[in-house]
Every structure is written in structure tokens, then in C-alpha cells.
Amino acid sequence: MGSPLRQGFPWGELRALLDPEAPLARRRRGLQVYAGFLFLLQGAGLLLLAPFFPQAWHPLLLALAFLGAGWLFLQALMALREEGPLGALVAVGLGAGLFFFLGVMGLLLRPWGLGLLPVGVMGFLHLVRRSEGALKGPSGGPGPGP
């Protein structure tokens, strides 16, 4: 087998993610690499933006946070119904968008709004798990589901 660096990590895993004939374990690693990159990128963006966001508590902003998060989550679930690996990629991307959106709203609604950050992380991780199930296809695992 060899070390992951000799096999072209992470590019080999990312290429395997788009190849339906690739082994499932390698495709899942590719999805995890993609999800990890998006999570780190969005988290770094939130850290860089944090000092510049004013505190702007308003109940309508909290309602907007929940409505926007719900819309992004439903869009990701609908993307999982797509056949092939692209549905899983879109769902993970929307999950990263969900995390970033709730992070920004949490920064605006601080100090209590920072509780939206763990909700965004949980939504993102849930969508990554569902996307991994979608890679298995209709025959194995929990699959995409409703």
C-alpha cells in the first residue's frame, strides 16, 4: 500500500471522490478531506471577521438566523437526493455555508448568539455524515433519506 504522501494525498482522494468506480473507503476519505478543508477555511474566515463585527442584538436577526439555517439545511438535504458524488459534494458545501452563516449571525448577536456556533457545527457534521451515507448508494447504509 505505501504512505499517503506517495499516493498523492490529498489530490488522489479528491479524484477518487468523483470516480464512482473507486473504492468506497477512498471516496469517503476524499469527502472528509473536502469537508475538513471547507470547515477550516470557514472557521479561519470567522476568526478573521470576529474583531470587526459589531454587537447588534435584535430578535429579528435571531429569527433570520434560524430561517436562513433551516433553508440551507433543507437545500443540502435536497442535494443529497441527487445521484452520484456531486450531490454529496453540494450537501457538504451547503453544510459549510450553514456553519459560516450561523457563525456570522452568532458574532452579530453576541454574547448569547455565540450559541449558534455549536448549532452550525452540529448541522455541518450531520450533513457530512449523511453525505458519506449517500456515497454508499441506495443499497448500503443509511443513505441520503429525506
PDB file of all heavy atoms in Angstrom, residues 57 62 65-66 99 102-103 105-123:
ATOM      1  N   TRP A  57     -27.684  43.089  18.718  1.00  0.00           N
ATOM      2  CA  TRP A  57     -28.756  42.206  19.167  1.00  0.00           C
ATOM      3  C   TRP A  57     -30.109  42.740  18.717  1.00  0.00           C
ATOM      4  O   TRP A  57     -30.451  43.898  18.946  1.00  0.00           O
ATOM      5  CB  TRP A  57     -28.742  42.053  20.680  1.00  0.00           C
ATOM      6  CG  TRP A  57     -29.931  41.279  21.135  1.00  0.00           C
ATOM      7  CD1 TRP A  57     -31.053  41.773  21.701  1.00  0.00           C
ATOM      8  CD2 TRP A  57     -30.150  39.884  21.010  1.00  0.00           C
ATOM      9  NE1 TRP A  57     -31.942  40.773  21.950  1.00  0.00           N
ATOM     10  CE2 TRP A  57     -31.418  39.593  21.525  1.00  0.00           C
ATOM     11  CE3 TRP A  57     -29.389  38.843  20.495  1.00  0.00           C
ATOM     12  CZ2 TRP A  57     -31.947  38.311  21.559  1.00  0.00           C
ATOM     13  CZ3 TRP A  57     -29.914  37.562  20.531  1.00  0.00           C
ATOM     14  CH2 TRP A  57     -31.176  37.310  21.055  1.00  0.00           C
ATOM     15  N   LEU A  62     -32.241  37.135  15.104  1.00  0.00           N
ATOM     16  CA  LEU A  62     -32.266  35.751  15.573  1.00  0.00           C
ATOM     17  C   LEU A  62     -33.234  34.923  14.720  1.00  0.00           C
ATOM     18  O   LEU A  62     -32.919  33.789  14.333  1.00  0.00           O
ATOM     19  CB  LEU A  62     -32.664  35.697  17.050  1.00  0.00           C
ATOM     20  CG  LEU A  62     -32.585  34.335  17.716  1.00  0.00           C
ATOM     21  CD1 LEU A  62     -31.170  33.797  17.680  1.00  0.00           C
ATOM     22  CD2 LEU A  62     -33.085  34.426  19.142  1.00  0.00           C
ATOM     23  N   ALA A  65     -31.603  34.208  11.490  1.00  0.00           N
ATOM     24  CA  ALA A  65     -30.600  33.152  11.625  1.00  0.00           C
ATOM     25  C   ALA A  65     -31.243  31.778  11.525  1.00  0.00           C
ATOM     26  O   ALA A  65     -30.747  30.898  10.809  1.00  0.00           O
ATOM     27  CB  ALA A  65     -29.856  33.303  12.957  1.00  0.00           C
ATOM     28  N   PHE A  66     -32.345  31.587  12.216  1.00  0.00           N
ATOM     29  CA  PHE A  66     -32.994  30.277  12.178  1.00  0.00           C
ATOM     30  C   PHE A  66     -33.639  29.996  10.829  1.00  0.00           C
ATOM     31  O   PHE A  66     -33.579  28.869  10.330  1.00  0.00           O
ATOM     32  CB  PHE A  66     -34.002  30.144  13.316  1.00  0.00           C
ATOM     33  CG  PHE A  66     -33.355  29.935  14.647  1.00  0.00           C
ATOM     34  CD1 PHE A  66     -33.519  30.856  15.664  1.00  0.00           C
ATOM     35  CD2 PHE A  66     -32.555  28.833  14.893  1.00  0.00           C
ATOM     36  CE1 PHE A  66     -32.907  30.677  16.892  1.00  0.00           C
ATOM     37  CE2 PHE A  66     -31.936  28.637  16.106  1.00  0.00           C
ATOM     38  CZ  PHE A  66     -32.118  29.559  17.119  1.00  0.00           C
ATOM     39  N   PHE A  99     -22.641  26.490   8.529  1.00  0.00           N
ATOM     40  CA  PHE A  99     -21.746  26.796   9.647  1.00  0.00           C
ATOM     41  C   PHE A  99     -21.297  28.259   9.601  1.00  0.00           C
ATOM     42  O   PHE A  99     -21.331  28.965  10.615  1.00  0.00           O
ATOM     43  CB  PHE A  99     -20.536  25.851   9.617  1.00  0.00           C
ATOM     44  CG  PHE A  99     -19.387  26.293  10.468  1.00  0.00           C
ATOM     45  CD1 PHE A  99     -19.510  26.346  11.848  1.00  0.00           C
ATOM     46  CD2 PHE A  99     -18.182  26.654   9.905  1.00  0.00           C
ATOM     47  CE1 PHE A  99     -18.448  26.762  12.641  1.00  0.00           C
ATOM     48  CE2 PHE A  99     -17.126  27.064  10.682  1.00  0.00           C
ATOM     49  CZ  PHE A  99     -17.256  27.122  12.055  1.00  0.00           C
ATOM     50  N   LEU A 102     -24.333  30.708  10.360  1.00  0.00           N
ATOM     51  CA  LEU A 102     -24.664  30.761  11.784  1.00  0.00           C
ATOM     52  C   LEU A 102     -23.529  31.376  12.597  1.00  0.00           C
ATOM     53  O   LEU A 102     -23.772  32.029  13.618  1.00  0.00           O
ATOM     54  CB  LEU A 102     -25.017  29.368  12.305  1.00  0.00           C
ATOM     55  CG  LEU A 102     -26.389  28.858  11.882  1.00  0.00           C
ATOM     56  CD1 LEU A 102     -26.621  27.450  12.413  1.00  0.00           C
ATOM     57  CD2 LEU A 102     -27.493  29.790  12.348  1.00  0.00           C
ATOM     58  N   GLY A 103     -22.293  31.206  12.143  1.00  0.00           N
ATOM     59  CA  GLY A 103     -21.169  31.850  12.822  1.00  0.00           C
ATOM     60  C   GLY A 103     -21.233  33.361  12.710  1.00  0.00           C
ATOM     61  O   GLY A 103     -21.019  34.074  13.692  1.00  0.00           O
ATOM     62  N   MET A 105     -23.940  35.166  12.110  1.00  0.00           N
ATOM     63  CA  MET A 105     -25.093  35.625  12.891  1.00  0.00           C
ATOM     64  C   MET A 105     -24.776  35.562  14.390  1.00  0.00           C
ATOM     65  O   MET A 105     -25.190  36.436  15.154  1.00  0.00           O
ATOM     66  CB  MET A 105     -26.332  34.793  12.564  1.00  0.00           C
ATOM     67  CG  MET A 105     -26.804  34.955  11.138  1.00  0.00           C
ATOM     68  SD  MET A 105     -27.114  36.648  10.654  1.00  0.00           S
ATOM     69  CE  MET A 105     -28.697  36.910  11.378  1.00  0.00           C
ATOM     70  N   GLY A 106     -24.042  34.553  14.806  1.00  0.00           N
ATOM     71  CA  GLY A 106     -23.644  34.457  16.206  1.00  0.00           C
ATOM     72  C   GLY A 106     -22.730  35.598  16.621  1.00  0.00           C
ATOM     73  O   GLY A 106     -22.820  36.112  17.737  1.00  0.00           O
ATOM     74  N   LEU A 107     -21.842  36.008  15.708  1.00  0.00           N
ATOM     75  CA  LEU A 107     -20.969  37.148  16.012  1.00  0.00           C
ATOM     76  C   LEU A 107     -21.775  38.437  16.129  1.00  0.00           C
ATOM     77  O   LEU A 107     -21.480  39.286  16.972  1.00  0.00           O
ATOM     78  CB  LEU A 107     -19.899  37.300  14.933  1.00  0.00           C
ATOM     79  CG  LEU A 107     -18.802  36.239  14.913  1.00  0.00           C
ATOM     80  CD1 LEU A 107     -17.903  36.425  13.704  1.00  0.00           C
ATOM     81  CD2 LEU A 107     -17.998  36.269  16.196  1.00  0.00           C
ATOM     82  N   LEU A 108     -22.779  38.589  15.299  1.00  0.00           N
ATOM     83  CA  LEU A 108     -23.623  39.781  15.394  1.00  0.00           C
ATOM     84  C   LEU A 108     -24.456  39.796  16.675  1.00  0.00           C
ATOM     85  O   LEU A 108     -24.668  40.848  17.267  1.00  0.00           O
ATOM     86  CB  LEU A 108     -24.557  39.866  14.190  1.00  0.00           C
ATOM     87  CG  LEU A 108     -23.947  40.317  12.878  1.00  0.00           C
ATOM     88  CD1 LEU A 108     -24.961  40.180  11.757  1.00  0.00           C
ATOM     89  CD2 LEU A 108     -23.444  41.740  12.983  1.00  0.00           C
ATOM     90  N   LEU A 109     -24.929  38.643  17.083  1.00  0.00           N
ATOM     91  CA  LEU A 109     -25.845  38.547  18.222  1.00  0.00           C
ATOM     92  C   LEU A 109     -25.133  38.211  19.527  1.00  0.00           C
ATOM     93  O   LEU A 109     -25.760  37.716  20.463  1.00  0.00           O
ATOM     94  CB  LEU A 109     -26.912  37.478  17.927  1.00  0.00           C
ATOM     95  CG  LEU A 109     -27.824  37.757  16.744  1.00  0.00           C
ATOM     96  CD1 LEU A 109     -28.631  36.533  16.391  1.00  0.00           C
ATOM     97  CD2 LEU A 109     -28.718  38.938  17.038  1.00  0.00           C
ATOM     98  N   ARG A 110     -23.837  38.458  19.590  1.00  0.00           N
ATOM     99  CA  ARG A 110     -23.137  38.070  20.815  1.00  0.00           C
ATOM    100  C   ARG A 110     -23.573  38.920  21.989  1.00  0.00           C
ATOM    101  O   ARG A 110     -24.079  40.013  21.796  1.00  0.00           O
ATOM    102  CB  ARG A 110     -21.624  38.079  20.622  1.00  0.00           C
ATOM    103  CG  ARG A 110     -21.010  39.310  20.255  1.00  0.00           C
ATOM    104  CD  ARG A 110     -19.515  39.204  20.071  1.00  0.00           C
ATOM    105  NE  ARG A 110     -19.213  40.469  19.453  1.00  0.00           N
ATOM    106  CZ  ARG A 110     -18.428  40.653  18.457  1.00  0.00           C
ATOM    107  NH1 ARG A 110     -17.770  39.676  17.961  1.00  0.00           N
ATOM    108  NH2 ARG A 110     -18.266  41.839  17.951  1.00  0.00           N
ATOM    109  N   PRO A 111     -23.447  38.480  23.164  1.00  0.00           N
ATOM    110  CA  PRO A 111     -22.738  37.288  23.613  1.00  0.00           C
ATOM    111  C   PRO A 111     -23.600  36.021  23.526  1.00  0.00           C
ATOM    112  O   PRO A 111     -23.071  34.936  23.348  1.00  0.00           O
ATOM    113  CB  PRO A 111     -22.371  37.581  25.061  1.00  0.00           C
ATOM    114  CG  PRO A 111     -23.462  38.483  25.544  1.00  0.00           C
ATOM    115  CD  PRO A 111     -23.883  39.295  24.334  1.00  0.00           C
ATOM    116  N   TRP A 112     -24.920  36.130  23.640  1.00  0.00           N
ATOM    117  CA  TRP A 112     -25.750  34.919  23.666  1.00  0.00           C
ATOM    118  C   TRP A 112     -25.847  34.255  22.305  1.00  0.00           C
ATOM    119  O   TRP A 112     -26.081  33.056  22.209  1.00  0.00           O
ATOM    120  CB  TRP A 112     -27.145  35.241  24.203  1.00  0.00           C
ATOM    121  CG  TRP A 112     -27.089  35.868  25.547  1.00  0.00           C
ATOM    122  CD1 TRP A 112     -27.388  37.159  25.857  1.00  0.00           C
ATOM    123  CD2 TRP A 112     -26.669  35.255  26.755  1.00  0.00           C
ATOM    124  NE1 TRP A 112     -27.184  37.390  27.182  1.00  0.00           N
ATOM    125  CE2 TRP A 112     -26.729  36.233  27.768  1.00  0.00           C
ATOM    126  CE3 TRP A 112     -26.226  33.991  27.089  1.00  0.00           C
ATOM    127  CZ2 TRP A 112     -26.381  35.970  29.082  1.00  0.00           C
ATOM    128  CZ3 TRP A 112     -25.880  33.734  28.400  1.00  0.00           C
ATOM    129  CH2 TRP A 112     -25.954  34.720  29.380  1.00  0.00           C
ATOM    130  N   GLY A 113     -25.658  35.009  21.258  1.00  0.00           N
ATOM    131  CA  GLY A 113     -25.743  34.452  19.912  1.00  0.00           C
ATOM    132  C   GLY A 113     -24.607  33.517  19.568  1.00  0.00           C
ATOM    133  O   GLY A 113     -24.693  32.753  18.605  1.00  0.00           O
ATOM    134  N   LEU A 114     -23.532  33.546  20.353  1.00  0.00           N
ATOM    135  CA  LEU A 114     -22.433  32.617  20.089  1.00  0.00           C
ATOM    136  C   LEU A 114     -22.864  31.165  20.276  1.00  0.00           C
ATOM    137  O   LEU A 114     -22.183  30.258  19.830  1.00  0.00           O
ATOM    138  CB  LEU A 114     -21.225  32.949  20.971  1.00  0.00           C
ATOM    139  CG  LEU A 114     -20.528  34.266  20.623  1.00  0.00           C
ATOM    140  CD1 LEU A 114     -19.389  34.534  21.593  1.00  0.00           C
ATOM    141  CD2 LEU A 114     -20.020  34.244  19.193  1.00  0.00           C
ATOM    142  N   GLY A 115     -24.017  30.967  20.885  1.00  0.00           N
ATOM    143  CA  GLY A 115     -24.581  29.619  20.979  1.00  0.00           C
ATOM    144  C   GLY A 115     -25.000  29.073  19.626  1.00  0.00           C
ATOM    145  O   GLY A 115     -25.253  27.874  19.484  1.00  0.00           O
ATOM    146  N   LEU A 116     -25.072  29.933  18.620  1.00  0.00           N
ATOM    147  CA  LEU A 116     -25.385  29.470  17.275  1.00  0.00           C
ATOM    148  C   LEU A 116     -24.207  28.737  16.631  1.00  0.00           C
ATOM    149  O   LEU A 116     -24.403  27.931  15.727  1.00  0.00           O
ATOM    150  CB  LEU A 116     -25.802  30.646  16.386  1.00  0.00           C
ATOM    151  CG  LEU A 116     -27.117  31.325  16.724  1.00  0.00           C
ATOM    152  CD1 LEU A 116     -27.300  32.575  15.884  1.00  0.00           C
ATOM    153  CD2 LEU A 116     -28.276  30.372  16.544  1.00  0.00           C
ATOM    154  N   LEU A 117     -22.985  29.012  17.082  1.00  0.00           N
ATOM    155  CA  LEU A 117     -21.816  28.334  16.523  1.00  0.00           C
ATOM    156  C   LEU A 117     -21.870  26.817  16.700  1.00  0.00           C
ATOM    157  O   LEU A 117     -21.661  26.081  15.737  1.00  0.00           O
ATOM    158  CB  LEU A 117     -20.533  28.897  17.137  1.00  0.00           C
ATOM    159  CG  LEU A 117     -20.009  30.162  16.486  1.00  0.00           C
ATOM    160  CD1 LEU A 117     -18.897  30.765  17.314  1.00  0.00           C
ATOM    161  CD2 LEU A 117     -19.537  29.877  15.094  1.00  0.00           C
ATOM    162  N   PRO A 118     -22.155  26.304  17.911  1.00  0.00           N
ATOM    163  CA  PRO A 118     -22.255  24.842  18.035  1.00  0.00           C
ATOM    164  C   PRO A 118     -23.396  24.256  17.210  1.00  0.00           C
ATOM    165  O   PRO A 118     -23.295  23.136  16.719  1.00  0.00           O
ATOM    166  CB  PRO A 118     -22.480  24.599  19.523  1.00  0.00           C
ATOM    167  CG  PRO A 118     -22.154  25.856  20.207  1.00  0.00           C
ATOM    168  CD  PRO A 118     -22.223  26.954  19.212  1.00  0.00           C
ATOM    169  N   VAL A 119     -24.474  25.013  17.033  1.00  0.00           N
ATOM    170  CA  VAL A 119     -25.577  24.541  16.202  1.00  0.00           C
ATOM    171  C   VAL A 119     -25.097  24.415  14.751  1.00  0.00           C
ATOM    172  O   VAL A 119     -25.403  23.425  14.070  1.00  0.00           O
ATOM    173  CB  VAL A 119     -26.791  25.488  16.305  1.00  0.00           C
ATOM    174  CG1 VAL A 119     -27.877  25.102  15.323  1.00  0.00           C
ATOM    175  CG2 VAL A 119     -27.327  25.522  17.722  1.00  0.00           C
ATOM    176  N   GLY A 120     -24.319  25.370  14.290  1.00  0.00           N
ATOM    177  CA  GLY A 120     -23.754  25.297  12.945  1.00  0.00           C
ATOM    178  C   GLY A 120     -22.798  24.142  12.776  1.00  0.00           C
ATOM    179  O   GLY A 120     -22.806  23.460  11.750  1.00  0.00           O
ATOM    180  N   VAL A 121     -21.976  23.890  13.790  1.00  0.00           N
ATOM    181  CA  VAL A 121     -21.040  22.762  13.733  1.00  0.00           C
ATOM    182  C   VAL A 121     -21.810  21.448  13.691  1.00  0.00           C
ATOM    183  O   VAL A 121     -21.480  20.546  12.899  1.00  0.00           O
ATOM    184  CB  VAL A 121     -20.062  22.796  14.937  1.00  0.00           C
ATOM    185  CG1 VAL A 121     -19.256  21.520  15.031  1.00  0.00           C
ATOM    186  CG2 VAL A 121     -19.147  23.996  14.835  1.00  0.00           C
ATOM    187  N   MET A 122     -22.849  21.324  14.516  1.00  0.00           N
ATOM    188  CA  MET A 122     -23.638  20.084  14.521  1.00  0.00           C
ATOM    189  C   MET A 122     -24.342  19.880  13.188  1.00  0.00           C
ATOM    190  O   MET A 122     -24.392  18.758  12.676  1.00  0.00           O
ATOM    191  CB  MET A 122     -24.647  20.093  15.666  1.00  0.00           C
ATOM    192  CG  MET A 122     -24.015  19.922  17.025  1.00  0.00           C
ATOM    193  SD  MET A 122     -25.181  19.733  18.382  1.00  0.00           S
ATOM    194  CE  MET A 122     -26.285  21.100  18.167  1.00  0.00           C
ATOM    195  N   GLY A 123     -24.882  20.948  12.603  1.00  0.00           N
ATOM    196  CA  GLY A 123     -25.524  20.825  11.298  1.00  0.00           C
ATOM    197  C   GLY A 123     -24.537  20.411  10.224  1.00  0.00           C
ATOM    198  O   GLY A 123     -24.828  19.556   9.386  1.00  0.00           O
TER     199      GLY A 123
END
